[in-house]
Structures are given as C-alpha cells and as structure tokens.
Amino acid sequence: MKKVIFTDPNGEKEIISDIKHLKSIIIDDFKTYWMQGSGDGFIDFYENDKKVSTLLIGPNIEHGLYLHYIDNIKHIDLLSLNNENELEEVLETAEEIYASKGLFLPIESAWEGIMDFIETGNPSSKIIWITPDNIPENGNW
C-alpha cells in the first residue's frame, strides 16, 4: 500500500489526498507560497510503510522549481535539468540553499514531474535527469 506525504516550507506534514489542492498551493500560488518558512519542501513516497523515495522541491521565484529525486533503496540521486549551459551559475533556492540555474524547470514542467512522482514514486520520464556527477565544479546541487 502506498502513502505519499508532503512536507511544506514550515515543516508541516500532510498525506497527499487531493492533488488539485496541492497544485493550487505550490504552483498556482507559487510566488507567495514558497516565501514562507524554510522556502523549500519535499515529498516522501512510502510502500508498505517503508520510505522508498523522496522528491526535494527547491523554488526560485524567477526561475521555477528544481527537483532532486532520491531513491532510498538504491541510493541514487537525480537532478532535474532544464539547461545544461547554465549549470555553472548558482542561484538561491531557499534560505541559504543553492543550486545551479540550469536545474530549475518552468513551474508547469516541474508540476508534471511532481504528479508522476506522486503516482509512482519514480522520477518522471517527462523530465531530463542528470546525476550530481554532471554538475561542474562551479555549480551546485
């Protein structure tokens, strides 16, 4: 049995039961929602009460959402990629958390990836993913 839990920028957890409500707060209200608390969030995917994967969500109001997929079973990290030519420029995602500009997706594209993750617990095939090894020395993830 699967369970999907969203942890918001204030650290409050909620089981995702209404995906339309989640979209209304994290995408439709993007510019104000992500300005609270720590400024980032994550989604944990559980199967049979065991956490199998996590999707970290890092916003930048001007550049969109950065997604970081973590497979807790295979110990794999994947990073969303929007523009490989912008991986050396680093932006703040949340309070004092930095990521390469090229990792930020337009919010509607990021939402597609978030929906797929909520359904399957896997990285979305609609997003290009890279590993941290692909980040140049001047970049960050």
Side-chain angles (χ1 to χ4, degrees), residues 24-114:
S24 75
I25 59 174
I26 70 172
I27 301 297
D28 298 341
D29 194 21
F30 179 76
K31 290 188 176 183
T32 55
Y33 180 77
W34 294 107
M35 298 305 287
Q36 61 183 324
S38 65
D40 62 352
F42 58 93
I43 301 170
D44 290 316
F45 189 93
Y46 292 82
E47 285 182 351
N48 301 320
D49 291 327
K50 181 177 183 179
K51 182 165 58 170
V52 295
S53 55
T54 300
L55 188 67
L56 304 175
I57 304 169
N60 179 285
I61 300 306
E62 294 177 30
H63 300 284
L65 291 169
Y66 151 61
L67 304 178
H68 175 176
Y69 170 83
I70 302 166
D71 184 315
N72 295 304
I73 307 298
K74 298 176 185 171
H75 305 289
I76 296 171
D77 285 281
L78 297 174
L79 314 171
S80 57
L81 177 66
N82 185 44
N83 185 338
E84 65 184 324
N85 296 320
E86 296 180 325
L87 293 176
E88 290 194 24
E89 184 179 345
V90 176
L91 305 172
E92 190 169 13
T93 66
E95 279 190 30
E96 298 185 28
I97 298 173
Y98 299 89
S100 294
K101 181 179 180 182
L103 300 176
F104 289 88
L105 303 169
I107 59 173
E108 289 301 328
S109 297
W111 177 247
E112 292 290 320
I114 291 167

